[in-house]
Amino acid sequence: MKKLIMTLGLALLIAGCNATTPSKPMSLKEQYEAKLAATQAAVEKAASVEGEWRDIRWKKSKKKYLPSAIKAAEAGDYEKALKLLDIAEFQAKMGYQQAMAEKNAGPHLYGM
Amino acid sequence: MKKIVTLLLSAGLVATATQAFSSPQEDLQKFRTYFEQKFPGMKLDDFGNGSYALDESKRIQWESMEEFPPYDEFVDKGREIWEKPFKNGKSFASCFGSDPSKVRVKYPHWDSKTQQVVTLEGDINKCLKENGEKPFGWKKGPIAWLSAFFGYEARGQKINVKIPNDPKALEAYEHGRHFFYAKRGQLNMACADCHVKYPGHFIRGNLLSTALGQTTHFPVYRAKWAKKSKDGDGMGTLHRRYGGCNKQVRARPFKAQSKVYRDLEFFHQYMSNGLTINAPGYRE
């Protein structure tokens, strides 16, 4: 039984790899472009529920992960840009999730 | 585990159901009782003194500040703005009536025509625009001075926000209420965490004030804001403060006079109904 699962797992892994490895790997620039679009969508989604966090793109934030990523990419540093987008996208998703989790927020949760 | 989640969920749903039926009047009553029980014996108007009501030595320092209040010169500037005619010969009195002591107590209010919450600052800029004048910036400077003058003239009157029984008005109120109680930002904290749950406690050296009474003295003169400005002008509006409080939990602040902050103000000022206006105030 255990063996079977392991073999199955291995098979899936291989199949998975095959499925996700394109014949030509994405260039850093392409990865950046895809990630940028995904991040921007995630940020808009968080903002649409009043859940955007401070350091994603607000003009007075010292970090401004999203605009900083775009700057890095413009300077040709796609690796740095991707790292910054990672943070921005994560924060945007968390902000959205947080807003969803807070849908029922109200005085009843504060002993009133 | 699944059971717990379901239980929690259904508890949440029940709570929401009761939420939906609680009227602003009921909310207000529960809010008031909550703080009266948390700080037994405190006089209602004392809640308007913010953290100074909660700490004796801070209060003594503050009272000595109030003897020569640094906001006086800005109230005077506000009075000058009030008295100065526009280029078209009219003045703010053409929008607000001739008695400046009767202005503050009308705000914020629900405007049934435009279906939105109208604030004092919003009407100040509306008046300027209607008279062909350039509107003021939203958070500080002339708008805060004029608003401080209106507040000063209204001292001694009571906050009296009315939430009409109109579905759209109630929606705006509930939006403001939800904003107040919802955790936000990277630090995952709601206004209510700091100003309902933990008033009287210190956070990074600041003594937290109660949400009850928090609007009586706005606009406010803050020593911190005075330090930041070039000319020692520490005046700022309520929405400036909202932005500051959103930022410190690492949430993106909203624009002053955005719908979010106007709705928040509608709820927040309503919760202080019956408290005496003592604007402008001095704060650290």
Side-chain angles (χ1 to χ4, degrees), chain B residues 169-229:
Chain B
L170 288 168
E171 211 178 288
Y173 167 83
E174 272 170 30
H175 179 218
R177 182 179 68 180
H178 179 261
F179 190 88
F180 183 84
Y181 288 103
K183 295 181 192 295
R184 65 189 65 251
Q186 201 177 356
L187 303 192
N188 197 36
M189 289 179 87
C191 311
D193 285 322
C194 286
H195 298 300
V196 174
K197 205 166 172 188
Y198 291 120
H201 290 74
F202 280 88
I203 184 163
R204 278 190 262 151
N206 294 305
L207 183 59
L208 288 166
S209 57
T210 58
L212 176 61
Q214 237 173 8
T215 64
T216 57
H217 58 286
F218 270 84
V220 82
Y221 177 99
R222 282 189 78 196
K224 183 179 163 184
W225 288 341
K227 243 192 192 164
K228 263 179 65 181
S229 84

Side-chain angles (χ1 to χ4, degrees), chain B residues 162-173:
Chain B
K162 298 184 181 84
I163 316 279
N165 198 4
D166 162 338
K168 283 284 178 195
L170 288 168
E171 211 178 288
Y173 167 83

Side-chain angles (χ1 to χ4, degrees), chain B:
Chain B
M1 182 59 192
K2 210 168 174 189
K3 243 191 197 155
I4 301 180
V5 174
T6 333
L7 257 173
L8 277 174
L9 269 175
S10 52
L13 288 177
V14 173
T16 330
T18 41
Q19 264 324 95
F21 287 106
S22 76
S23 66
Q25 290 82 350
E26 285 168 314
D27 286 349
L28 177 58
Q29 200 203 342
K30 285 186 192 158
F31 191 84
R32 182 80 66 80
T33 308
Y34 172 90
F35 284 107
E36 283 171 351
Q37 284 173 352
K38 202 171 174 75
F39 300 99
M42 196 150 119
K43 285 202 216 89
L44 186 58
D45 273 337
D46 222 12
F47 284 100
N49 295 326
S51 57
Y52 305 119
L54 309 176
D55 183 288
E56 191 53 33
S57 66
K58 273 183 172 273
R59 189 187 184 105
I60 292 168
Q61 286 172 24
W62 171 63
E63 279 172 349
S64 59
M65 274 316 281
E66 285 279 348
E67 275 172 38
F68 302 97
Y71 50 72
D72 265 359
E73 69 172 287
F74 301 104
V75 172
D76 288 341
K77 284 184 175 195
R79 187 189 311 276
E80 283 163 26
I81 294 173
W82 167 255
E83 284 166 356
K84 193 177 160 208
F86 300 141
K87 280 183 238 86
N88 65 8
K90 288 196 207 165
S91 72
F92 278 104
S94 68
C95 303
F96 291 102
S98 58
D99 184 349
S101 75
K102 297 206 167 115
V103 177
R104 161 64 180 258
V105 77
K106 293 179 194 153
Y107 294 92
H109 65 249
W110 179 254
D111 183 49
S112 54
K113 236 195 251 151
T114 56
Q115 297 275 292
Q116 58 177 340
V117 175
V118 173
T119 62
L120 175 53
E121 286 78 15
D123 265 2
I124 288 173
N125 270 348
K126 185 168 167 240
C127 183
L128 286 171
K129 275 190 241 159
E130 279 173 1
N131 285 286
E133 299 277 324
K134 199 171 159 256
F136 297 143
W138 283 122
K139 288 192 289 198
K140 56 187 176 185
I143 205 159
W145 308 338
L146 180 56
S147 182
F149 166 68
F150 285 137
Y152 186 79
E153 289 288 311
R155 277 189 174 186
Q157 298 170 42
K158 291 189 190 319
I159 296 187
N160 184 21
V161 178
K162 298 184 181 84
I163 316 279
N165 198 4
D166 162 338
K168 283 284 178 195
L170 288 168
E171 211 178 288
Y173 167 83
E174 272 170 30
H175 179 218
R177 182 179 68 180
H178 179 261
F179 190 88
F180 183 84
Y181 288 103
K183 295 181 192 295
R184 65 189 65 251
Q186 201 177 356
L187 303 192
N188 197 36
M189 289 179 87
C191 311
D193 285 322
C194 286
H195 298 300
V196 174
K197 205 166 172 188
Y198 291 120
H201 290 74
F202 280 88
I203 184 163
R204 278 190 262 151
N206 294 305
L207 183 59
L208 288 166
S209 57
T210 58
L212 176 61
Q214 237 173 8
T215 64
T216 57
H217 58 286
F218 270 84
V220 82
Y221 177 99
R222 282 189 78 196
K224 183 179 163 184
W225 288 341
K227 243 192 192 164
K228 263 179 65 181
S229 84
K230 276 171 241 125
D231 47 5
D233 178 0
M235 298 299 301
T237 62
L238 187 57
H239 291 205
R240 184 178 182 191
R241 182 77 239 203
Y242 288 168
C245 277
N246 275 161
K247 263 189 302 202
Q248 61 176 326
V249 298
R250 301 193 197 154
R252 180 185 176 155
F254 291 81
K255 291 211 166 84
Q257 302 301 326
S258 57
K259 174 171 164 46
V260 177
Y261 280 176
R262 280 185 288 114
D263 289 353
L264 173 62
E265 180 178 342
F266 200 34
F267 162 79
H268 192 213
Q269 294 247 36
Y270 177 75
M271 285 296 127
S272 290
N273 265 5
L275 271 75
T276 306
I277 293 168
N278 58 355
Y282 169 84
R283 292 292 186 269
E284 270 170 32

